[in-house]
Coordinates of all heavy atoms in Angstrom, one line a residue:
F156 N 86.7 97.2 88.0 CA 88.0 96.8 87.8 C 88.9 97.9 87.3 O 90.1 97.9 87.6 CB 88.0 95.6 86.8 CG 87.6 94.3 87.4 CD1 86.5 93.6 86.9 CD2 88.2 93.8 88.5 CE1 86.1 92.4 87.4 CE2 87.8 92.6 89.1 CZ 86.7 91.9 88.6
A157 N 88.3 98.9 86.6 CA 89.1 100.1 86.2 C 89.6 100.9 87.4 O 90.7 101.3 87.4 CB 88.3 100.9 85.2
L158 N 88.7 101.0 88.4 CA 89.1 101.7 89.6 C 90.2 101.0 90.4 O 91.1 101.5 90.9 CB 87.9 102.0 90.5 CG 86.9 103.0 89.9 CD1 85.6 102.9 90.7 CD2 87.5 104.4 90.0
M159 N 90.0 99.6 90.4 CA 91.0 98.8 91.1 C 92.3 98.9 90.4 O 93.4 98.9 91.0 CB 90.5 97.4 91.2 CG 91.3 96.5 92.1 SD 90.9 97.0 93.9 CE 92.5 96.8 94.6
H160 N 92.3 98.9 89.0 CA 93.6 99.0 88.3 C 94.3 100.4 88.6 O 95.5 100.4 88.7 CB 93.3 98.9 86.8 CG 94.5 98.9 86.0 ND1 95.5 97.9 86.0 CD2 95.1 99.8 85.1 CE1 96.5 98.2 85.2 NE2 96.2 99.4 84.6
E161 N 93.5 101.4 88.7 CA 94.0 102.7 89.0 C 94.7 102.7 90.4 O 95.8 103.3 90.6 CB 92.9 103.8 89.0 CG 92.4 104.2 87.6 CD 91.3 105.2 87.7 OE1 91.0 105.7 88.8 OE2 90.6 105.4 86.6
M162 N 94.1 102.0 91.3 CA 94.7 101.9 92.6 C 96.0 101.1 92.6 O 97.1 101.5 93.1 CB 93.8 101.2 93.6 CG 94.4 100.9 95.0 SD 93.3 99.9 96.0 CE 94.4 99.6 97.4
R163 N 96.0 100.0 91.9 CA 97.2 99.2 91.7 C 98.3 100.0 91.0 O 99.5 99.9 91.4 CB 96.9 97.9 91.0 CG 96.1 96.9 91.8 CD 95.6 95.8 91.0 NE 94.9 94.8 91.7 CZ 93.8 94.1 91.3 NH1 93.4 94.3 90.1 NH2 93.2 93.2 92.0
V164 N 98.0 100.7 90.0 CA 99.0 101.5 89.3 C 99.6 102.6 90.2 O 100.8 102.8 90.2 CB 98.4 102.2 88.0 CG1 99.3 103.2 87.5 CG2 98.1 101.1 87.0
R165 N 98.7 103.2 91.1 CA 99.2 104.1 92.0 C 100.2 103.5 93.0 O 101.2 104.1 93.4 CB 98.0 104.8 92.8 CG 98.4 106.0 93.5 CD 97.2 106.6 94.2 NE 97.6 107.9 94.8 CZ 96.8 108.6 95.7 NH1 95.7 108.1 96.0 NH2 97.3 109.8 96.2
V166 N 99.9 102.3 93.4 CA 100.8 101.5 94.3 C 102.2 101.3 93.6 O 103.2 101.6 94.2 CB 100.2 100.2 94.8 CG1 101.2 99.4 95.6 CG2 99.0 100.5 95.7
V167 N 102.1 100.7 92.5 CA 103.4 100.2 91.9 C 104.2 101.4 91.3 O 105.4 101.2 91.1 CB 103.2 99.1 90.8 CG1 102.4 97.9 91.3 CG2 102.4 99.7 89.5
T168 N 103.6 102.5 91.1 CA 104.4 103.7 90.6 C 104.8 104.6 91.7 O 105.5 105.6 91.5 CB 103.6 104.5 89.6 OG1 102.3 104.9 90.2 CG2 103.3 103.7 88.3
A169 N 104.4 104.3 93.0 CA 104.9 105.1 94.1 C 106.4 104.9 94.3 O 107.0 103.9 94.0 CB 104.2 104.6 95.4
P170 N 107.1 106.0 94.6 CA 108.5 106.0 94.7 C 109.1 104.8 95.6 O 110.2 104.3 95.4 CB 108.9 107.3 95.3 CG 107.8 108.2 94.8 CD 106.6 107.4 94.9
S171 N 108.3 104.5 96.7 CA 108.8 103.5 97.6 C 108.7 102.0 97.1 O 109.2 101.1 97.7 CB 108.1 103.6 99.0 OG 106.7 103.5 98.8
F172 N 107.9 101.9 96.1 CA 107.6 100.5 95.6 C 108.7 100.1 94.6 O 108.6 100.3 93.4 CB 106.2 100.5 94.9 CG 105.7 99.1 94.7 CD1 104.9 98.5 95.6 CD2 106.1 98.3 93.6 CE1 104.4 97.2 95.4 CE2 105.6 97.1 93.4 CZ 104.8 96.5 94.3
T173 N 109.8 99.5 95.1 CA 110.9 99.1 94.3 C 111.4 97.8 94.7 O 111.1 97.3 95.8 CB 112.1 100.1 94.4 OG1 112.7 100.0 95.6 CG2 111.6 101.6 94.2
G174 N 112.3 97.2 93.9 CA 112.9 95.9 94.2 C 113.9 96.0 95.4 O 114.5 94.9 95.7
K175 N 114.2 97.1 96.0 CA 115.1 97.2 97.1 C 114.5 96.4 98.3 O 115.3 95.8 99.1 CB 115.3 98.6 97.5 CG 116.2 99.4 96.5 CD 116.4 100.8 97.0 CE 117.2 101.6 95.9 NZ 117.4 103.0 96.4
K176 N 113.2 96.4 98.5 CA 112.6 95.7 99.6 C 111.5 94.8 99.2 O 111.1 93.9 99.9 CB 112.1 96.7 100.6 CG 113.3 97.5 101.3 CD 112.8 98.4 102.4 CE 114.0 99.1 103.1 NZ 113.6 100.0 104.1
I177 N 111.0 95.0 97.9 CA 109.9 94.2 97.4 C 110.4 93.2 96.4 O 110.9 93.7 95.3 CB 108.8 95.0 96.9 CG1 108.2 95.9 98.0 CG2 107.7 94.2 96.3 CD1 107.2 97.0 97.5
L178 N 110.5 91.9 96.6 CA 111.0 91.0 95.7 C 110.1 90.8 94.5 O 110.5 90.7 93.3 CB 111.2 89.6 96.4 CG 112.3 89.5 97.4 CD1 112.2 88.1 98.0 CD2 113.6 89.7 96.8
A179 N 108.8 90.7 94.7 CA 107.8 90.3 93.7 C 106.5 90.9 94.0 O 106.2 91.4 95.1 CB 107.8 88.8 93.6
A180 N 105.6 90.9 92.9 CA 104.2 91.3 93.1 C 103.4 90.3 92.4 O 103.7 89.8 91.3 CB 104.0 92.7 92.5
I181 N 102.3 89.9 93.1 CA 101.3 88.9 92.5 C 100.2 89.7 91.9 O 99.6 90.6 92.5 CB 100.8 88.0 93.5 CG1 101.9 87.2 94.2 CG2 99.8 86.9 92.9 CD1 101.4 86.4 95.4
L182 N 99.9 89.4 90.6 CA 98.9 90.2 89.8 C 97.7 89.4 89.5 O 97.7 88.2 89.3 CB 99.6 90.7 88.5 CG 100.9 91.4 88.6 CD1 101.4 91.7 87.2 CD2 100.8 92.7 89.4
F183 N 96.5 90.1 89.5 CA 95.3 89.6 88.9 C 95.4 89.6 87.4 O 96.2 90.4 86.8 CB 94.2 90.5 89.4 CG 92.8 90.1 89.0 CD1 92.3 88.8 89.2 CD2 91.9 91.0 88.4 CE1 91.0 88.4 88.8 CE2 90.6 90.7 88.0 CZ 90.2 89.4 88.2
E184 N 94.7 88.7 86.7 CA 94.9 88.5 85.3 C 94.6 89.8 84.5 O 95.4 90.2 83.6 CB 93.9 87.5 84.8 CG 94.0 87.2 83.3 CD 93.0 86.1 82.8 OE1 92.5 85.4 83.7 OE2 92.8 86.0 81.6
Q185 N 93.6 90.6 84.9 CA 93.4 91.9 84.3 C 94.5 92.9 84.5 O 94.8 93.7 83.6 CB 92.0 92.5 84.7 CG 90.8 91.6 84.2 CD 89.5 92.3 84.5 OE1 89.5 93.5 84.9 NE2 88.4 91.6 84.3
T186 N 95.2 92.8 85.6 CA 96.3 93.6 85.9 C 97.5 93.2 85.0 O 98.2 94.1 84.4 CB 96.7 93.6 87.3 OG1 95.6 93.8 88.2 CG2 97.8 94.7 87.7
M187 N 97.7 92.0 84.8 CA 98.8 91.5 83.9 C 98.6 92.0 82.5 O 99.5 92.4 81.8 CB 98.8 90.0 83.9 CG 99.8 89.4 82.9 SD 99.7 87.6 82.7 CE 98.1 87.4 81.7
N188 N 97.3 92.1 82.1 CA 97.0 92.6 80.7 C 96.8 94.1 80.6 O 96.6 94.6 79.6 CB 95.7 91.9 80.2 CG 95.9 90.4 80.0 OD1 96.9 90.0 79.6 ND2 94.8 89.6 80.3
G189 N 97.0 94.8 81.8 CA 96.8 96.2 81.8 C 98.2 96.9 81.5 O 99.2 96.3 81.3
L190 N 98.1 98.3 81.6 CA 99.2 99.1 81.3 C 99.5 100.0 82.4 O 98.7 100.5 83.2 CB 99.0 100.0 80.0 CG 98.7 99.2 78.7 CD1 98.3 100.2 77.6 CD2 99.9 98.4 78.3
V191 N 100.8 100.4 82.6 CA 101.2 101.5 83.4 C 101.7 102.6 82.4 O 102.8 102.4 81.7 CB 102.4 101.1 84.3 CG1 102.9 102.4 85.1 CG2 101.9 100.0 85.3
K192 N 100.9 103.6 82.2 CA 101.1 104.5 81.0 C 101.0 103.7 79.8 O 100.0 103.1 79.4 CB 102.4 105.3 81.2 CG 102.3 106.2 82.4 CD 103.6 107.0 82.6 CE 103.5 107.9 83.8 NZ 104.8 108.7 84.1
D193 N 102.1 103.5 79.0 CA 102.1 102.8 77.8 C 102.8 101.4 77.9 O 103.1 100.8 76.9 CB 102.7 103.6 76.7 CG 101.9 104.8 76.3 OD1 100.7 104.8 76.4 OD2 102.5 105.9 76.0
T194 N 103.2 101.0 79.1 CA 104.0 99.9 79.4 C 103.2 98.8 80.0 O 102.5 99.0 81.0 CB 105.2 100.2 80.3 OG1 106.0 101.2 79.7 CG2 106.1 99.0 80.4
P195 N 103.2 97.5 79.5 CA 102.5 96.4 80.2 C 103.0 96.3 81.6 O 104.2 96.5 81.9 CB 102.9 95.2 79.3 CG 103.3 95.7 78.0 CD 103.9 97.1 78.2
V196 N 102.1 96.0 82.5 CA 102.4 96.0 83.9 C 103.6 95.1 84.3 O 104.5 95.5 85.0 CB 101.1 95.6 84.8 CG1 101.5 95.4 86.2 CG2 100.1 96.7 84.6
P197 N 103.6 93.8 83.7 CA 104.7 93.0 84.1 C 106.1 93.6 83.7 O 107.1 93.5 84.4 CB 104.5 91.6 83.4 CG 103.0 91.6 83.2 CD 102.6 93.1 82.9
A198 N 106.1 94.1 82.5 CA 107.4 94.8 82.0 C 107.7 95.9 82.9 O 108.9 96.2 83.2 CB 107.2 95.2 80.6
F199 N 106.8 96.8 83.3 CA 107.0 97.9 84.1 C 107.6 97.4 85.5 O 108.6 98.0 86.0 CB 105.8 98.7 84.4 CG 106.0 99.8 85.4 CD1 106.5 101.0 85.0 CD2 105.6 99.6 86.7 CE1 106.7 102.0 85.9 CE2 105.8 100.6 87.6 CZ 106.4 101.8 87.2
L200 N 107.0 96.4 86.0 CA 107.5 96.0 87.3 C 108.9 95.5 87.3 O 109.7 95.9 88.2 CB 106.6 94.8 87.8 CG 105.2 95.2 88.4 CD1 104.4 93.9 88.6 CD2 105.3 95.9 89.7
W201 N 109.3 94.7 86.3 CA 110.6 94.2 86.2 C 111.6 95.2 85.7 O 112.7 95.4 86.4 CB 110.6 92.9 85.4 CG 112.0 92.3 85.2 CD1 112.7 92.1 84.1 CD2 112.8 91.8 86.3 NE1 113.9 91.5 84.4 CE2 114.0 91.3 85.8 CE3 112.6 91.7 87.7 CZ2 115.0 90.8 86.5 CZ3 113.6 91.2 88.5 CH2 114.8 90.7 87.9
K202 N 111.3 95.9 84.6 CA 112.3 96.8 84.0 C 112.5 98.1 84.8 O 113.6 98.6 84.9 CB 112.0 97.0 82.6 CG 112.1 95.8 81.7 CD 111.7 96.1 80.2 CE 111.8 94.8 79.4 NZ 111.5 95.1 78.0
D203 N 111.3 98.6 85.3 CA 111.4 99.9 85.9 C 111.6 99.8 87.4 O 112.3 100.7 88.0 CB 110.0 100.6 85.7 CG 110.1 101.9 84.9 OD1 110.4 101.8 83.7 OD2 110.0 102.9 85.5
R204 N 111.1 98.7 88.0 CA 111.1 98.6 89.5 C 112.0 97.5 90.0 O 112.2 97.4 91.2 CB 109.7 98.5 90.0 CG 108.9 99.8 89.7 CD 109.5 101.0 90.3 NE 109.1 102.3 89.8 CZ 108.4 103.1 90.6 NH1 108.0 102.9 91.8 NH2 108.0 104.3 90.0
G205 N 112.4 96.6 89.2 CA 113.2 95.4 89.6 C 112.3 94.5 90.5 O 112.9 93.8 91.3
V206 N 111.0 94.4 90.2 CA 110.1 93.6 91.0 C 109.6 92.4 90.1 O 109.2 92.7 89.0 CB 108.9 94.4 91.5 CG1 107.8 93.5 92.1 CG2 109.4 95.5 92.5
V207 N 109.7 91.2 90.6 CA 109.4 90.0 89.8 C 107.9 89.9 89.7 O 107.2 89.8 90.7 CB 110.1 88.8 90.4 CG1 109.7 87.5 89.6 CG2 111.6 88.9 90.5
P208 N 107.3 89.7 88.5 CA 105.9 89.5 88.4 C 105.4 88.1 88.5 O 105.9 87.2 87.8 CB 105.6 90.1 87.0 CG 106.8 89.9 86.2 CD 108.0 89.9 87.2
F209 N 104.4 87.9 89.3 CA 103.6 86.6 89.4 C 102.2 86.8 89.0 O 101.7 88.0 89.0 CB 103.6 86.1 90.8 CG 104.9 85.4 91.3 CD1 106.0 86.2 91.6 CD2 105.0 84.0 91.4 CE1 107.2 85.6 92.0 CE2 106.2 83.4 91.8 CZ 107.3 84.2 92.1
L210 N 101.5 85.7 88.7 CA 100.1 85.8 88.2 C 99.2 84.9 89.1 O 99.5 83.7 89.2 CB 100.0 85.4 86.8 CG 98.5 85.3 86.2 CD1 97.9 86.7 86.2 CD2 98.6 84.7 84.8
K211 N 98.1 85.4 89.6 CA 97.1 84.6 90.2 C 96.3 83.8 89.1 O 95.8 84.5 88.2 CB 96.1 85.5 91.0 CG 94.8 84.8 91.4 CD 93.9 85.9 92.0 CE 92.5 85.4 92.1 NZ 92.2 84.4 93.1
V212 N 96.3 82.5 89.2 CA 95.6 81.7 88.1 C 94.3 81.0 88.6 O 93.6 80.6 87.7 CB 96.6 80.7 87.5 CG1 97.7 81.4 86.8 CG2 97.1 79.7 88.6
D213 N 94.1 80.9 89.9 CA 92.9 80.2 90.3 C 91.7 81.0 90.0 O 91.7 82.2 89.8 CB 92.9 79.9 91.8 CG 92.9 81.1 92.7 OD1 91.7 81.5 93.0 OD2 93.9 81.6 93.1
K214 N 90.5 80.3 89.9 CA 89.2 81.0 89.5 C 88.2 80.9 90.6 O 87.0 80.8 90.4 CB 88.7 80.3 88.2 CG 89.6 80.4 87.0 CD 89.9 81.8 86.6 CE 90.8 81.9 85.4 NZ 91.1 83.3 85.1
G215 N 88.7 80.9 91.9 CA 87.8 80.9 93.0 C 87.7 79.5 93.6 O 88.4 78.5 93.2
L216 N 86.8 79.4 94.6 CA 86.7 78.2 95.4 C 85.4 77.4 95.2 O 84.3 78.0 95.0 CB 86.8 78.6 96.9 CG 88.1 79.3 97.3 CD1 88.0 79.9 98.7 CD2 89.3 78.4 97.1
E217 N 85.5 76.1 95.4 CA 84.3 75.3 95.5 C 83.6 75.5 96.8 O 84.2 76.1 97.8 CB 84.6 73.8 95.3 CG 85.3 73.5 94.0 CD 84.3 73.3 92.8 OE1 83.2 73.7 93.0 OE2 84.8 72.8 91.8
A218 N 82.4 75.0 97.0 CA 81.7 75.1 98.3 C 82.5 74.2 99.3 O 83.2 73.2 98.9 CB 80.3 74.6 98.2
E219 N 82.4 74.5 100.6 CA 83.1 73.8 101.6 C 82.6 72.3 101.6 O 81.4 72.0 101.6 CB 82.9 74.4 102.9 CG 83.7 73.7 104.1 CD 83.5 74.3 105.4 OE1 82.9 75.4 105.5 OE2 83.9 73.7 106.4
A220 N 83.5 71.4 101.7 CA 83.2 70.0 101.8 C 84.4 69.3 102.5 O 85.6 69.6 102.2 CB 83.0 69.3 100.5
G221 N 84.2 68.5 103.5 CA 85.2 67.8 104.2 C 86.2 68.8 105.0 O 87.3 68.5 105.2
G222 N 85.6 70.0 105.3 CA 86.4 70.9 106.1 C 87.3 71.8 105.3 O 88.1 72.6 105.8
V223 N 87.2 71.7 103.9 CA 88.1 72.5 103.0 C 87.3 73.0 101.9 O 86.1 72.6 101.6 CB 89.2 71.7 102.5 CG1 90.1 71.1 103.7 CG2 88.8 70.5 101.6
Q224 N 87.9 74.0 101.2 CA 87.4 74.5 99.9 C 88.4 74.3 98.8 O 89.5 75.0 98.8 CB 87.0 75.9 100.0 CG 85.7 76.2 100.7 CD 85.3 77.6 100.8 OE1 85.8 78.4 101.7 NE2 84.5 78.1 99.8
L225 N 88.2 73.3 97.9 CA 89.1 73.1 96.8 C 88.9 74.2 95.8 O 88.0 75.0 95.8 CB 88.8 71.8 96.2 CG 89.0 70.5 97.0 CD1 88.4 69.3 96.3 CD2 90.5 70.3 97.2
M226 N 89.9 74.3 94.9 CA 89.8 75.3 93.8 C 88.8 74.8 92.8 O 88.7 73.6 92.5 CB 91.2 75.4 93.1 CG 92.2 76.1 94.0 SD 93.8 76.2 93.2 CE 94.5 74.5 93.4
K227 N 88.1 75.8 92.2 CA 87.3 75.4 91.0 C 88.1 75.1 89.9 O 89.3 75.4 89.8 CB 86.4 76.7 90.7 CG 85.3 77.0 91.7 CD 84.6 78.2 91.2 CE 83.4 78.6 92.2 NZ 82.7 79.8 91.7
P228 N 87.6 74.3 88.9 CA 88.4 74.1 87.7 C 88.8 75.4 87.0 O 88.2 76.4 87.1 CB 87.3 73.4 86.8 CG 86.3 72.8 87.7 CD 86.2 73.8 88.8
I229 N 90.0 75.3 86.4 CA 90.6 76.5 85.7 C 90.5 76.3 84.2 O 91.4 75.6 83.6 CB 92.0 76.7 86.2 CG1 92.1 76.8 87.7 CG2 92.6 78.0 85.6 CD1 93.5 76.8 88.3
P230 N 89.4 76.8 83.6 CA 89.3 76.5 82.1 C 90.4 77.3 81.4 O 90.8 78.4 81.8 CB 87.9 77.1 81.8 CG 87.7 78.1 82.9 CD 88.3 77.5 84.1
D231 N 90.9 76.7 80.3 CA 91.9 77.4 79.4 C 93.1 77.7 80.2 O 93.8 78.8 79.9 CB 91.3 78.7 78.8 CG 90.0 78.4 78.0 OD1 90.0 77.3 77.3 OD2 89.0 79.2 78.0
L232 N 93.5 76.9 81.1 CA 94.7 77.2 81.9 C 96.0 77.3 81.0 O 96.8 78.1 81.1 CB 94.9 76.2 83.0 CG 96.2 76.3 83.8 CD1 96.3 77.7 84.5 CD2 96.4 75.2 84.8
D233 N 96.1 76.3 80.0 CA 97.2 76.3 79.2 C 97.4 77.6 78.4 O 98.5 78.1 78.2 CB 97.2 75.1 78.2 CG 97.5 73.8 78.9 OD1 98.2 73.8 80.0 OD2 97.1 72.7 78.4
A234 N 96.2 78.1 77.9 CA 96.3 79.4 77.2 C 96.7 80.5 78.1 O 97.5 81.4 77.6 CB 94.9 79.6 76.5
L235 N 96.2 80.5 79.3 CA 96.6 81.6 80.2 C 98.1 81.5 80.6 O 98.8 82.5 80.6 CB 95.8 81.4 81.5 CG 96.1 82.4 82.6 CD1 95.8 83.9 82.2 CD2 95.2 82.1 83.9
L236 N 98.6 80.3 80.7 CA 100.0 80.1 81.1 C 100.9 80.6 79.9 O 101.9 81.2 80.1 CB 100.3 78.7 81.4 CG 99.6 78.2 82.7 CD1 100.0 76.7 83.0 CD2 100.0 79.1 83.9
E237 N 100.4 80.3 78.7 CA 101.2 80.7 77.5 C 101.2 82.2 77.4 O 102.2 82.8 77.1 CB 100.5 80.1 76.2 CG 101.3 80.5 74.9 CD 100.7 79.8 73.7 OE1 99.7 79.1 73.9 OE2 101.2 80.1 72.6
Q238 N 100.1 82.8 77.7 CA 100.0 84.3 77.6 C 100.9 84.9 78.7 O 101.6 85.9 78.5 CB 98.5 84.7 77.9 CG 98.3 86.2 77.8 CD 96.9 86.6 78.2 OE1 96.1 85.8 78.8 NE2 96.4 87.8 77.8
A239 N 100.9 84.3 79.9 CA 101.7 84.8 81.0 C 103.2 84.7 80.7 O 104.0 85.6 80.9 CB 101.4 84.0 82.3
T240 N 103.6 83.6 80.0 CA 105.0 83.4 79.7 C 105.4 84.5 78.7 O 106.5 85.1 78.8 CB 105.2 82.0 79.1 OG1 104.8 81.0 80.0 CG2 106.7 81.8 78.7
K241 N 104.6 84.8 77.7 CA 104.9 85.8 76.7 C 105.0 87.2 77.3 O 105.7 88.0 76.8 CB 103.8 85.8 75.6 CG 103.9 84.6 74.7 CD 102.8 84.6 73.7 CE 102.8 83.4 72.7 NZ 101.7 83.4 71.7
K242 N 104.3 87.4 78.4 CA 104.3 88.7 79.0 C 105.4 88.9 80.1 O 105.5 89.9 80.8 CB 102.9 89.0 79.7 CG 101.8 89.3 78.6 CD 100.5 89.7 79.3 CE 99.5 90.1 78.3 NZ 99.8 91.4 77.6
G243 N 106.2 87.8 80.2 CA 107.3 87.9 81.1 C 107.0 87.6 82.6 O 107.8 87.9 83.5
I244 N 105.9 86.9 82.8 CA 105.5 86.4 84.2 C 106.5 85.3 84.6 O 106.8 84.4 83.8 CB 104.1 85.9 84.2 CG1 103.1 87.1 83.9 CG2 103.8 85.3 85.5 CD1 103.0 88.1 85.0
Y245 N 106.9 85.4 85.9 CA 107.9 84.4 86.4 C 107.2 83.2 87.0 O 107.7 82.1 86.9 CB 108.7 85.1 87.4 CG 109.7 84.2 88.2 CD1 110.8 83.7 87.5 CD2 109.4 83.8 89.5 CE1 111.7 82.9 88.2 CE2 110.3 83.0 90.2 CZ 111.5 82.5 89.5 OH 112.3 81.7 90.2

Side-chain angles (χ1 to χ4, degrees):
F156 285 123
L158 289 168
M159 195 70 218
H160 184 70
E161 289 176 10
M162 176 188 172
R163 289 172 177 142
V164 168
R165 195 178 187 192
V166 170
V167 302
T168 56
S171 59
F172 194 95
T173 74
K175 291 181 180 179
K176 294 183 177 179
I177 299 171
L178 290 174
I181 305 173
L182 306 176
F183 184 49
E184 183 179 346
Q185 292 187 9
T186 311
M187 176 186 74
N188 292 325
L190 300 174
V191 177
K192 297 181 181 178
D193 296 326
T194 303
V196 173
F199 173 83
L200 284 171
W201 179 241
K202 293 181 180 178
D203 243 70
R204 297 300 164 112
V206 173
V207 177
F209 282 76
L210 174 67
K211 166 188 163 70
V212 296
D213 68 85
K214 300 301 181 183
L216 301 170
E217 301 280 12
E219 181 181 352
V223 302
Q224 287 180 273
L225 294 167
M226 291 177 282
K227 291 180 178 178
I229 307 174
D231 302 321
L232 176 62
D233 285 337
L235 178 60
L236 297 178
E237 182 177 358
Q238 182 183 21
T240 301
K241 289 179 179 178
K242 288 184 176 290
I244 294 292
Y245 174 75

